[in-house]
Amino acid sequence: MKKPLDYQQSIQEFKKFVSFRNKVAIWLSVVVLVCYYAFVISIGLFPDVLGYRLGPSSITLGIIVGIFLIALCITATGLYTFFANQYFDRRQEEILQDLEQSGALEDLKNGKNY
């Protein structure tokens, strides 16, 4: 069994955890938004390129890129969900238990800032 952290260590560990979780969410969001806005800008600047037909069918390069964007959004959501279920939820529970054992959780609930 893991030894509980002291008061200040518990608070610092919680801050590091929240910071890491936010960084993961922001990076996944940035990747999706950059790809999406690059697609929208390319529609305006290079409509002929995205309108290029692939073979004799009516499928264009723009449709393929659009499908890629949908798949990217699903993948980013899946990655965050996977990390949340496998790592973030467990780690959060451990940190909250450490905060509760050290007494810092009650202080944080009462509005003390660290």
Side-chain angles (χ1 to χ4, degrees), residues 24-40:
V24 169
I26 288 171
W27 275 108
L28 289 172
S29 299
V30 165
V31 167
V32 169
L33 288 173
V34 165
C35 290
Y36 175 76
Y37 283 109
F39 177 66
V40 170

Side-chain angles (χ1 to χ4, degrees), residues 1-5 94 97-98 101:
M1 183 168 192
K2 191 173 94 165
K3 180 183 156 197
L5 301 174
E94 291 172 2
Q97 286 176 356
D98 286 341
Q101 289 175 355

Side-chain angles (χ1 to χ4, degrees), residues 26-106:
I26 288 171
W27 275 108
L28 289 172
S29 299
V30 165
V31 167
V32 169
L33 288 173
V34 165
C35 290
Y36 175 76
Y37 283 109
F39 177 66
V40 170
I41 289 171
S42 67
I43 289 171
L45 297 176
F46 312 108
D48 294 338
V49 173
L50 291 175
Y52 178 76
R53 291 186 187 273
L54 302 174
S57 68
S58 61
I59 297 176
T60 64
L61 188 59
I63 292 172
I64 300 299
V65 173
I67 291 171
F68 166 76
L69 281 174
I70 292 169
L72 177 68
C73 292
I74 292 170
T75 303
T77 303
L79 276 172
Y80 186 81
T81 303
F82 175 78
F83 284 131
N85 290 336
Q86 294 298 316
Y87 175 72
F88 296 153
D89 290 347
R90 288 184 193 150
R91 187 69 185 125
Q92 180 177 329
E93 186 62 34
E94 291 172 2
I95 291 172
L96 288 175
Q97 286 176 356
D98 286 341
L99 286 170
E100 193 172 324
Q101 289 175 355
S102 69
L105 187 60
E106 195 61 37

